[in-house]
Amino acid sequence: MNEWKKKGVVYEIYVQSFNDSNDDGIGDIRGIIQKLDYLNDLGVNILWLTPIFESPMVDNGYDISDYRKINPQYGTMDDVDELIERAHEKGIRIVMDLVVNHTSDRHEWFEKSKMSRDNEYSDYYIWRDPKEDGSAPTNHGSAFGGSAWEYCPERRQYYLHMFAREQPDLNWDNEKVREAIYDTMRFWADRGIDGFRMDSISFISKPEVFTDAPVVDNKEFGAYYYGIANGRNIHRYLHEMYERVLSRYDLITIGETPHTDVVEGERFVNPSREELDMVFQFEHMHVDYGEYGRYSDVSFKLSDLRHDLDMWQSGLSWNSNYLGNHDQPRIVSRFGSDGRYRVKSAEMLAMLIMMQRGTPFIYQGEEIGMTNVDFKSIDEMKDLEAHNTYEHFLSLGISEEKSLEMVRRKTRDNGRTPMQWNGRQNAGFSNAKPWIEVNPDYERINVEQDLASDDSVYRFYQKVIELRRNNEILTDGSYSLIAGDDSDIIAFVRELNGQEIMVVCSFADRKVRFDVPLKGRGGRLLLGNYADAPDGLDDVIYLRPYEGRAYTVG
C-alpha cells in the first residue's frame, strides 16, 4: 500500500445532508466545495461521497438509474469536475460510491431486461422461474423487509432484489455486465476521481441454484444473505476488476462486505491477492444485536466490542477503522455518552478510531459530537428500512410506543439529519426546509459553538489526526491488545522498530483504575482528552469518565 493511502484519513460526506448551496433543502456538490477549507483545516485528505448519480431516490441514491449522469438535485458534471479540481489543489482526494450489486429498476438495463427472456439485456439481472404454485423461488427476504423476489408479468418470472424491490440485483456471471461496470469505473477514474467505496460488494456473486434460507431475528422471511454473501466467484471477479481497472490507476478501494468473517476478510485485502485495499466489516456493528437483530432493545458489552476489534486488528493485513457511517446511529449515543460526557466520549472515540492499525474513517458530524435524534413519531423518519421494521414490529403485536422506541435507537436516519453548522435557522444547513428535519439539539451542538468552546471536539480531532499522520508508529506499527479482560477499558500497544505507543480508552462514566501491564517501563504522555492529565506514566493510572490517553513507553 502506497504512502498516501497509509497516511490517509477519510471523511464520509452524506451529500444530501452536508451543506445546501442553493437553498432547496438538499445538500449538493457546490455545498461541499464551499466547505473544503473546513475539511482541509480538520486534516482529512480523502473525501468519500455517497452516491451523486441519477436516481429515483428510493434508497437515497443507492438505486442508480445512470452511472454516468449526475442527479440534478446535487448539481452538474461541471460541479463534480470543479470539486475534484479544487479538492486536489488542497491535497484532498475524492472517493465515489460504486453501487454495482444492484441498479435502480429505472435503469435502462433493467427496463430492457424485463421485457423478454431473449433480448440483449435479458441476462443482466437475476431471474428465476416461479415454483409450481406460482410462488417465489425461495423464502429469501429483503434486507429492507418483505420478500427478496418480485414477480414480473412481462417475463412470467421473479427477479431478485436483496434490498428494495426497486433495486434489482445485477448478474455478475454475465461477462457483459462486468465489462459494463469496469468501463464505468474507467470513465470516472479518467475524470480524476481517486477511488471507490464499493457498496455491498460481498453480495455480487450469486449461487447458480437458490435454496431456502433460515429465518432469523424474528423476521417473516429467510435471511437475505444466506447462500449469497461471499459467493463462489467473488474473488475471481474482484481480481478481474483489479487486472482490468484498478491496477491501471492510483486508486484507493474500500469494499463494504456484510456477513464476512476475518478469514474471508483477509482474502479481500491481502496484497498478494490483488483485490481490494480494505474492507468495511460489520462484526463490531453487531455487538448490540439481539432477538430482533439490529433493532433489538440491547446495549453493547465492552468485552464484545473489544473482542471484535482485536480480532480484526490482528487478523487483517490492513483495516478500515470506523464506528459510524450513514447506515449507523451516532457514535456518541451508541458507544459513548450523549449527555453529560458527550464531549469527552466523542474525543475518546476519536482516539480509538485514529490510533488503531489501518485507515480511519470519520462520518460527518462526529468531529463535533453530533448525537442521535429523539424522533417523536415514525412519520418523522424517512428511511424505508425504519418504516418497514416499524410495521413488522406492529404485526408481531409489539405496541406502537415500544416499536417506535426500538426503531428510534438504531434507525439510519440518526446519522442522516443535516450537518449542524451553527445555531441559527436549520442549523445553517439551508435557508429552506431541509429534506429531513434537523436534530433539535442543533442550537447547542454545532460547528460554530464547538469551535468557540475551550474543549472543542473538532480541535481535538485536528490534534489526533496530525499526530497519526506524523507518527510512523501509528501508521506502520504493529498492534497488540493489552488488559483484554478489563471491564471498562480498551487498551492496546502500537510498536515499530522497538518503539511503542500505549493507547488507553475508558468507556466508564466514572473514575476507574487501570493497572498498566507494561510495569516499570515508564513513559511520556503524547495525547489526552483531559488537559490536566499527568505527563508521566506510572504503573497504576486513574482515568476520569471517558478519558483517553496515549503514551510513548520507555
Side-chain angles (χ1 to χ4, degrees):
M1 184 177 293
N2 64 30
E3 199 70 5
W4 75 264
K5 295 179 186 179
K6 272 189 179 179
K7 292 186 178 295
V9 176
V10 184
Y11 186 98
E12 183 194 354
I13 293 179
Y14 195 70
V15 179
Q16 68 194 95
S17 294
F18 187 63
N19 185 41
D20 175 16
S21 71
N22 62 351
D23 290 332
D24 63 356
I26 300 170
D28 47 50
I29 298 160
R30 299 213 66 81
I32 301 171
I33 294 172
Q34 290 176 354
K35 297 297 183 181
L36 282 175
D37 285 341
Y38 168 87
L39 297 163
N40 189 49
D41 289 347
L42 180 61
V44 300
N45 55 3
I46 303 170
L47 303 182
W48 154 30
L49 312 185
T50 52
I52 56 175
F53 311 107
E54 192 173 88
S55 167
M57 300 297 287
V58 171
D59 187 24
N60 289 333
Y62 283 86
D63 49 318
I64 296 171
S65 55
D66 193 321
Y67 291 104
R68 302 191 188 199
K69 290 183 179 178
I70 302 303
N71 189 330
Q73 74 178 28
Y74 295 137
T76 66
M77 189 67 83
D78 286 342
D79 293 333
V80 174
D81 290 340
E82 183 179 345
L83 172 62
I84 294 170
E85 181 180 357
R86 297 273 296 275
H88 285 177
E89 288 172 357
K90 296 179 181 296
I92 296 174
R93 299 177 189 248
I94 301 295
V95 169
M96 282 190 163
D97 224 315
L98 185 72
V99 187
V100 289
N101 173 70
H102 50 266
T103 69
S104 165
D105 63 352
R106 304 278 186 87
H107 197 291
E108 177 189 18
W109 299 343
F110 186 76
E111 290 182 336
K112 292 180 177 179
S113 184
K114 73 179 183 179
M115 295 309 297
S116 71
R117 301 190 186 196
D118 57 0
N119 69 64
E120 180 184 357
Y121 294 92
S122 295
D123 198 31
Y124 267 51
Y125 295 84
I126 308 295
W127 295 96
R128 293 294 185 270
D129 291 329
K131 290 181 178 178
E132 289 186 6
D133 63 0
S135 62
T138 66
N139 72 337
H140 280 83
S142 156
F144 293 165
S147 173
W149 297 100
E150 184 74 11
Y151 186 70
C152 176
E154 292 93 335
R155 291 182 53 141
R156 297 195 298 277
Q157 284 183 308
Y158 285 85
Y159 67 85
L160 180 73
H161 60 91
M162 296 184 68
F163 298 93
R165 64 181 174 82
E166 297 90 349
Q167 294 171 290
D169 281 41
L170 285 163
N171 177 18
W172 273 69
D173 290 339
N174 184 336
E175 188 173 358
K176 291 181 179 179
V177 170
R178 301 200 304 276
E179 184 51 45
I181 291 167
Y182 302 156
D183 196 48
T184 296
M185 296 172 71
R186 294 184 199 104
F187 171 84
W188 284 108
D190 288 338
R191 204 151 194 120
I193 69 140
D194 304 288
F196 298 100
R197 178 267 186 184
M198 303 179 186
D199 184 71
S200 300
I201 203 69
S202 56
F203 296 147
I204 61 174
S205 177
K206 306 299 194 294
E208 290 185 40
V209 178
F210 285 83
T211 58
D212 278 351
V215 178
V216 298
D217 300 335
N218 285 290
K219 293 187 176 180
E220 182 181 359
F221 292 90
Y224 76 103
Y225 53 84
Y226 180 78
I228 296 176
N230 301 309
R232 67 197 191 287
N233 289 319
I234 180 71
H235 296 292
R236 179 165 75 85
Y237 294 157
L238 288 178
H239 181 65
E240 179 183 82
M241 179 191 290
Y242 178 88
E243 288 185 319
R244 296 193 186 181
V245 183
L246 304 176
S247 63
R248 304 178 186 187
Y249 301 89
D250 185 18
L251 301 173
I252 190 170
T253 53
I254 308 140
E256 184 191 34
T257 56
H259 302 284
T260 296
D261 63 23
V262 69
V263 174
E264 193 71 34
E266 176 62 10
R267 293 191 181 107
F268 285 111
V269 304
N270 191 301
S272 66
R273 296 179 60 88
E274 298 181 329
E275 295 184 20
L276 303 174
D277 290 320
M278 64 197 77
V279 295
F280 284 141
Q281 57 87 12
F282 286 80
E283 292 196 345
H284 70 305
M285 293 290 98
H286 293 176
V287 293
D288 50 4
Y289 280 32
E291 64 174 324
Y292 298 106
R294 171 195 182 103
Y295 293 97
S296 302
D297 190 12
V298 175
S299 297
F300 80 100
K301 293 180 180 178
L302 185 64
S303 57
D304 292 338
L305 179 62
R306 178 174 51 222
H307 170 270
D308 287 347
L309 292 176
D310 176 56
M311 179 170 59
W312 285 83
Q313 284 286 304
S314 303
L316 256 61
S317 301
W318 193 256
N319 276 273
S320 60
N321 301 328
Y322 78 99
L323 290 174
N325 59 37
H326 67 277
D327 282 334
Q328 303 296 337
R330 287 291 177 181
I331 65 174
V332 293
S333 298
R334 187 178 191 182
F335 297 114
S337 165
D338 54 14
R340 179 180 178 186
Y341 299 113
R342 179 185 63 85
V343 169
K344 290 306 173 192
S345 66
E347 294 170 347
M348 179 275 292
L349 293 170
M351 289 185 66
L352 178 66
I353 294 167
M354 292 290 163
M355 293 190 164
Q356 294 179 99
R357 186 171 187 273
T359 298
F361 285 73
I362 303 167
Y363 179 59
Q364 65 184 48
E366 289 176 0
E367 77 278 14
I368 59 168
M370 283 180 62
T371 68
N372 279 356
V373 183
D374 185 21
F375 292 107
K376 302 299 185 185
S377 164
I378 190 66
D379 296 329
E380 295 179 2
M381 302 182 202
K382 301 291 187 181
D383 183 29
L384 175 65
E385 181 182 272
H387 283 263
N388 289 345
T389 301
Y390 178 78
E391 292 299 326
H392 176 59
F393 284 165
L394 294 180
S395 74
L396 295 177
I398 301 174
S399 70
E400 291 184 8
E401 181 181 7
K402 187 64 176 178
S403 295
L404 178 63
E405 178 188 337
M406 292 166 70
V407 172
R408 179 171 52 212
R409 288 185 66 202
K410 297 286 188 63
T411 175
R412 302 188 298 178
D413 285 336
N414 280 308
R416 298 179 178 186
T417 57
M419 181 70 182
Q420 295 163 204
W421 296 104
N422 57 49
R424 296 181 287 281
Q425 181 186 17
N426 300 321
F429 165 74
S430 177
N431 288 322
K433 181 178 173 60
W435 71 275
I436 187 172
E437 290 297 327
V438 176
N439 192 326
D441 67 9
Y442 75 91
E443 290 184 349
R444 64 182 182 87
I445 302 175
N446 60 70
V447 171
E448 196 174 88
Q449 189 91 350
D450 184 81
L451 289 175
S453 170
D454 292 335
D455 195 2
S456 164
V457 179
Y458 179 95
R459 298 202 192 284
F460 187 82
Y461 265 85
Q462 287 178 314
K463 291 177 185 177
V464 70
I465 290 171
E466 183 179 10
L467 176 61
R468 179 189 181 277
R469 180 167 294 132
N470 295 321
N471 192 304
E472 290 188 350
I473 302 173
L474 295 176
T475 53
D476 297 346
S478 64
Y479 161 95
S480 300
L481 181 72
I482 57 175
D485 58 354
D486 194 292
S487 58
D488 299 303
I489 288 169
I490 292 179
F492 52 91
V493 171
R494 304 294 310 280
E495 186 273 334
L496 181 68
N497 299 326
Q499 295 184 304
E500 294 176 325
I501 292 176
M502 182 182 72
V503 181
V504 185
C505 297
S506 173
F507 283 72
D509 60 0
R510 66 194 185 285
K511 186 175 181 180
V512 294
R513 170 183 169 133
F514 181 63
D515 292 291
V516 177
L518 311 176
K519 294 193 181 301
R521 302 274 304 277
R524 179 179 60 84
L525 184 71
L526 263 182
L527 183 70
N529 64 339
Y530 281 78
D532 57 350
D535 290 334
L537 174 60
D538 297 325
D539 288 350
V540 176
I541 60 177
Y542 292 90
L543 299 171
R544 286 158 288 190
Y546 296 100
E547 186 166 9
R549 297 183 194 173
Y551 294 93
T552 56
V553 179

